[in-house]
Amino acid sequence: MAVEPLSLGVPKPIIDSLPEADGTAAQDMQRAVDGLETRLNRAIEDADTESEAAGYVVDALERLEGHYERYDEFIPELRAWGQSPIYAIAWRNLQADLILQIEEYEWLKPHIDRERNLRLVEDGIRFGK
């Protein structure tokens, strides 16, 4: 299947928000993004159809959304314990940005919407009830 491969990255504002000078957290973020990109591109390449590829992408989007929510929940908890939430904020923002980066691919847009709607129906959620 010949589609544009995904190219993901860690935005500079997120890296700039990190307080540590040695760049360990930035390297961790870049490794995580590189791994996600590799896994998604491999799954897309191995898929027989664009719809099948979109299914893998929607799985990744749902995981990113779950990570976003988890990091977002850490922020007030860290503040309550008197700890800096800067790393939780940075990781939360990275998840949100990755979702946006993935959703910008034109070839994926209609397939993502269709796959999400199919999953809603399969989950037994019906509108109007």
Side-chain angles (χ1 to χ4, degrees):
M1 182 177 62
V3 295
E4 179 184 5
L6 303 183
S7 177
L8 306 174
V10 181
K12 186 168 176 13
I14 292 176
I15 291 174
D16 291 344
S17 73
L18 299 170
E20 64 182 54
D22 68 357
T24 304
Q27 291 172 358
D28 290 345
M29 286 182 168
Q30 190 59 54
R31 275 194 297 271
V33 171
D34 290 345
L36 174 65
E37 179 183 299
T38 300
R39 286 187 308 277
L40 281 174
N41 282 327
R42 189 175 303 130
I44 289 167
E45 187 177 307
D46 291 346
D48 294 328
T49 65
E50 286 185 14
S51 294
E52 183 182 345
Y56 294 119
V57 172
V58 170
D59 289 341
L61 289 172
E62 289 175 352
R63 280 192 307 277
L64 289 168
E65 290 164 354
H67 292 294
Y68 175 91
E69 291 172 7
R70 193 170 326 124
Y71 286 118
D72 195 51
E73 290 170 3
F74 288 154
I75 294 168
E77 189 174 321
L78 288 167
R79 285 187 176 136
W81 287 97
Q83 297 179 8
S84 172
I86 190 66
Y87 293 106
I89 291 169
W91 280 96
R92 178 201 60 192
N93 292 348
L94 177 61
Q95 307 311 299
D97 197 87
L98 288 170
I99 291 167
L100 292 175
Q101 288 179 50
I102 292 169
E103 289 177 344
E104 286 178 0
Y105 283 87
E106 288 297 323
W107 71 268
L108 272 171
K109 287 180 182 180
H111 297 290
I112 289 173
D113 291 340
R114 191 174 308 117
E115 180 66 23
R116 286 188 183 257
N117 287 334
L118 283 171
R119 289 179 185 201
L120 283 173
V121 171
E122 285 176 6
D123 289 343
I125 300 171
R126 304 280 184 233
F127 295 107
K129 286 190 177 184

